[in-house]
Amino acid sequence: QVQLVESGGGLVQTGDNLRLSCVASGRTFDGYAMGWFRQAPGKEREFLAAITWTAGVPYIADAVKGRCTISRDRAKNTMYLQMNILKPDDTAVYYCNADKELRVVTTTTAAYWGQGTQVTVSS
């Protein structure tokens, strides 16, 4: 059974940097893609970034390009999201996901999701 577990969230201040982690288990993820979304209160879930598991090719949404980087460590079965210069608008629950198809990972229809980690940015 596939499990995705996010960590690294918390309360930070405006201008801080943060790295979120997503540990994946339950199968081999070669050939899969994984990604990050966030959902702020009262808003739809928003795609942030994705990465192909085998080759490590990253894709970053325009809304966070320049402030976010995505990476993965295959040996640790862990994906990361580095977020820099955080703003109060970045306050949200951050989710990781996984799917066989990169295109699907960039949507809310991805097959596997974690439970999310809360990030709160104080002004």
Side-chain angles (χ1 to χ4, degrees):
Q1 182 177 353
V2 172
Q3 269 198 317
L4 304 176
V5 180
E6 303 95 336
S7 63
L11 176 63
V12 298
Q13 295 190 351
T14 297
D16 284 352
N17 302 332
L18 195 67
R19 189 176 80 161
L20 304 180
S21 301
C22 173
V23 178
S25 62
R27 63 160 296 125
T28 176
F29 290 92
D30 286 341
Y32 271 60
M34 296 181 70
W36 288 96
F37 274 71
R38 69 184 177 188
Q39 188 164 22
K43 295 188 177 181
E44 294 184 354
R45 202 166 284 197
E46 175 190 20
F47 168 72
L48 300 176
I51 191 165
T52 59
W53 191 255
T54 305
V57 177
Y59 300 87
I60 308 293
D62 288 343
V64 293
K65 196 167 289 184
R67 291 198 303 126
C68 287
T69 57
I70 187 171
S71 61
R72 83 327 180 210
D73 184 331
R74 292 175 70 192
K76 295 182 179 179
N77 257 22
T78 301
M79 177 180 63
Y80 303 98
L81 182 71
Q82 176 73 39
M83 301 186 63
N84 299 327
I85 317 175
L86 288 163
K87 305 177 290 187
D89 283 352
D90 294 316
T91 295
V93 178
Y94 285 71
Y95 299 92
C96 63
N97 69 1
D99 199 278
K100 292 180 181 179
E101 297 186 32
L102 173 63
R103 179 188 60 80
V104 175
V105 158
T106 68
T107 75
T108 57
T109 62
Y112 306 107
W113 290 84
Q115 292 300 305
T117 185
Q118 174 72 46
V119 173
T120 303
V121 185
S122 65
S123 56

